Amino acid sequence: MRHMKALFRIEWKLFNRIKANYIFVLFVPLMLLVSMRFVQDQMELDKHGLNPGPLMVSTAAGILMIFSLYSSVTGLYVARREELVLKRLRTGEVSDPVILAGGASMYITIAVVQIVAIAAVLSVMFGVAPRQPLAAAVGLFTGVVLMTAMAAATAAMCRTVESVLVATLPAIFILPMISGIYIPREVLPEALGDALLLAPLSPTVDLIRSGWTGELTAGGALIRSALAIAWTALFAWIAARRFRWEPRT
């Protein structure tokens, strides 16, 4: 924990040096969220038995995990590698998982605070209260761990900081489409919706939404938690095998 706190303080100081970081991490996801509200208004949610309040909570959580956490942490890992920071940290007593988790802890904190704050605001706006808070907490935890592992796996494929934008594009554009973030699976054909349950962020989105709707049974929640853990293990395995701790020559 001492090492984690030290890495968090360092990253927080570096983050505050560039004020433009606040524009990307704080305002861009919020603008996307507002735009998605208008898109979902055209989907006839009532026809499919969907409550817009819980749906907007899960949409917000998914957007923030991708933009505030995944893309930011991917860029962080690559930048610190190119600056030889990761290589120097490994020469000390800090373990590899602590280096990665400590470096990402600042963005994890920002994403969690954003999600909790927006969920509270949306709950008041739509007059809904959490019915399964444990499911929402599990969804938030699994989503954060999944996105961090996915960021490490993506960073392993990036040669330079400039290549991060290209490497993260598939997740930024495709993942929200197939995980029920932009388009609820209920409005899709049943077979397609069932297949998209296997998408990486689908279990997280379902768990968070169920935190407000209470639609998942204990078995359903366990299945989705197991899927999220499986995806996390896959990305963690890729990162463990392919992650580079110093610049490529």
Side-chain angles (χ1 to χ4, degrees):
M1 291 303 299
R2 178 170 56 87
H3 295 148
M4 290 278 290
K5 290 178 180 178
L7 290 171
F8 177 88
R9 287 195 297 268
I10 293 171
E11 292 299 337
W12 180 251
K13 290 180 180 178
L14 293 173
F15 178 86
N16 280 285
R17 287 182 181 178
I18 305 175
K19 302 306 179 183
N21 287 333
Y22 289 100
I23 297 177
F24 181 78
V25 175
L26 298 177
F27 293 106
V28 172
L30 293 178
M31 288 189 293
L32 286 171
L33 178 60
V34 171
S35 64
M36 281 309 304
R37 173 58 177 161
F38 291 104
V39 173
Q40 291 179 348
D41 282 342
Q42 311 302 318
M43 294 182 183
E44 299 181 348
L45 300 179
D46 294 338
K47 179 180 177 181
H48 299 276
L50 296 173
N51 188 327
L55 188 63
M56 286 299 296
V57 171
S58 60
T59 296
I63 290 175
L64 292 171
M65 284 184 186
I66 292 174
F67 284 89
S68 294
L69 183 55
Y70 165 72
S71 61
S72 298
V73 172
T74 302
L76 172 74
Y77 286 154
V78 177
R80 298 296 176 262
R81 182 188 68 203
E82 298 302 302
E83 296 165 355
L84 300 180
V85 174
L86 298 182
K87 183 178 181 180
R88 289 196 294 269
L89 287 173
R90 292 190 88 199
T91 62
E93 59 184 12
V94 187
S95 64
D96 291 351
V98 171
I99 292 174
L100 296 179
S105 60
M106 192 269 297
Y107 285 104
I108 291 174
T109 302
I110 289 175
V112 171
V113 170
Q114 286 179 315
I115 292 171
V116 172
I118 290 181
V121 171
L122 290 173
S123 296
V124 174
M125 287 177 56
F126 289 94
V128 293
R131 298 175 60 185
Q132 291 181 343
L134 180 58
V138 171
L140 179 60
F141 175 77
T142 56
V144 166
V145 176
L146 170 62
M147 289 292 97
T148 305
M150 188 174 173
T154 305
M157 301 184 295
C158 300
R159 297 182 65 91
T160 63
V161 176
E162 290 75 16
S163 64
V164 171
L165 179 60
V166 176
T168 56
L169 280 179
I172 291 175
F173 285 102
I174 298 176
L175 196 57
M177 299 295 295
I178 65 175
S179 299
I181 297 174
Y182 290 167
I183 305 175
R185 294 197 312 277
E186 287 80 359
V187 306
L188 300 173
E190 184 176 355
L192 178 59
D194 292 342
L196 293 181
L197 173 61
L198 301 176
L201 261 184
S202 290
T204 295
V205 172
D206 286 358
L207 285 167
I208 292 177
R209 192 171 74 181
S210 182
W212 272 258
T213 63
E215 60 191 8
L216 289 181
T217 63
L222 286 175
I223 291 174
R224 284 158 176 79
S225 299
L227 285 172
I229 292 172
W231 278 110
T232 302
L234 174 61
F235 289 124
W237 176 77
I238 294 173
R241 288 180 58 87
R242 307 292 297 181
F243 193 86
R244 293 179 177 269
W245 296 90
E246 56 186 282
R248 297 180 182 179
T249 57

